[in-house]
Amino acid sequence: MKLNDRGLLIVISGPSGVGKGTVRSALFQMEGHDLVYSVSMTTRKPRANEVDGREYYFVTREEFESYINEGKMLEFAEFVNNYYGTPLDQVTEMLEAGKEVVLEIEVQGATQVREKMKDAVLIFIAPPSMEDLYRRLSSRGTEPPEIIQARIDKAKREIDLAYMYDYIVVNDTVENAADRIMAIIRAEHAKVERTIHKYKELLEVNNESK
Ligand code: 5GP
């Protein structure tokens, strides 16, 4: 029996504009990992090149709301007039199969995971500085200043929630951020509270066979 046979739930989250999607892609491109991505459900329309079941499960508002009402979402949030959420069943199945399940979600969703899954590992992706975040948020398109200001205000409120996470990873470069996350995952595996019960079982089996 492996020392560690229930998987880890790893939540990558952070303010909008911080680049968490890019960091998540870089993490999955690294070699020698056993991570699986939990595909979210959303009501937003697919973008060009997005495939149903790969980037997201694309559903209607009615379908999403029936998932919520039936208690089938681990977490969900409304973001720019669309629902986004994590179906509970797929996460539970993957964890029970001993997989390392990664969620990449915004901060409201992460708060819900904190409440429901006490042993989840919550990683907050932070910008190297507020100036850097301003630059990213304002260089996204040709939006009017009040929209940019609204995004910045939202990002500030989101950064304020970092205290409830387990780790803060600065996204100075995407590669550095992905490396740090991998180091966190490895360290989490070695934590005594995750392994001690299995270790005790192994000792008992050994003693019995003597
Ligand atoms: P986008 O529309 O750009 O793909 O995603 C918009 C935002 O929704 C991103 O910040 C992304 O991290 C977040 N998001 C994606 N999936 C989920 C989810 O399942 N739950 C929550 N709470 N946020 C999500």
Side-chain angles (χ1 to χ4, degrees), residues 8 21 34 38 47 86 103 112 132 175 180 187 208:
L8 269 185
D34 207 8
S38 159
R47 297 180 184 134
T86 307
L103 310 185
Q112 297 164 42
D132 183 87
E175 292 70 28
R180 289 177 190 127
E208 277 163 21

Side-chain angles (χ1 to χ4, degrees), residues 20 40 44 47 56 75 77 79 84-86 104-106 109:
K20 50 191 181 295
S40 295
R44 93 151 155 67
R47 297 180 184 134
Y56 285 103
E75 60 74 33
F79 184 86
Y84 293 82
T86 307
E104 182 245 298
I105 60 179
E106 52 68 69

Side-chain angles (χ1 to χ4, degrees), residues 133-196:
L133 189 65
Y134 292 167
R135 255 197 315 278
R136 286 179 198 227
L137 288 172
S138 34
S139 66
R140 269 191 168 179
T142 49
E143 282 143 338
E146 58 277 16
I147 298 280
I148 294 172
Q149 190 54 50
R151 281 178 189 243
I152 289 168
D153 291 345
K154 182 162 184 279
K156 279 188 180 159
R157 288 195 299 277
E158 289 169 336
I159 289 173
D160 224 27
L161 289 173
Y163 68 88
M164 62 139 198
Y165 287 73
D166 300 304
Y167 298 94
I168 295 184
V169 161
V170 174
N171 184 16
D172 48 359
T173 73
V174 173
E175 292 70 28
N176 282 347
D179 274 351
R180 289 177 190 127
I181 294 176
M182 198 56 92
I184 291 168
I185 294 172
R186 296 207 170 109
E188 280 291 328
H189 266 295
K191 273 203 165 163
V192 168
E193 64 259 33
R194 289 196 197 279
T195 51
I196 195 73

Side-chain angles (χ1 to χ4, degrees), residues 1 3 196-210:
M1 188 183 285
L3 271 180
I196 195 73
H197 62 291
K198 284 289 158 203
Y199 187 61
K200 279 186 186 151
E201 276 171 31
L202 280 185
L203 286 180
E204 276 157 24
V205 172
N206 264 350
N207 286 339
E208 277 163 21
S209 60
K210 269 182 197 158

Side-chain angles (χ1 to χ4, degrees), residues 30-88:
M30 289 173 80
E31 281 171 14
H33 68 73
D34 207 8
L35 306 173
V36 285
Y37 178 59
S38 159
V39 178
S40 295
M41 194 178 269
T42 184
T43 57
R44 93 151 155 67
K45 296 278 165 283
R47 297 180 184 134
N49 303 326
E50 284 186 335
V51 176
D52 187 41
R54 188 179 68 188
E55 279 78 16
Y56 285 103
Y57 296 108
F58 296 98
V59 298
T60 61
R61 280 190 89 79
E62 291 68 33
E63 284 171 300
F64 201 107
E65 282 167 357
S66 71
Y67 260 73
I68 300 172
N69 295 335
E70 289 165 25
K72 288 183 178 169
M73 298 311 266
L74 166 60
E75 60 74 33
F76 70 94
E78 254 195 293
F79 184 86
V80 203
N81 301 326
N82 279 303
Y83 282 125
Y84 293 82
T86 307
L88 181 59

Side-chain angles (χ1 to χ4, degrees), residues 14-27:
S16 46
V18 79
K20 50 191 181 295
T22 323
V23 171
R24 186 251 301 169
S25 307
L27 182 70

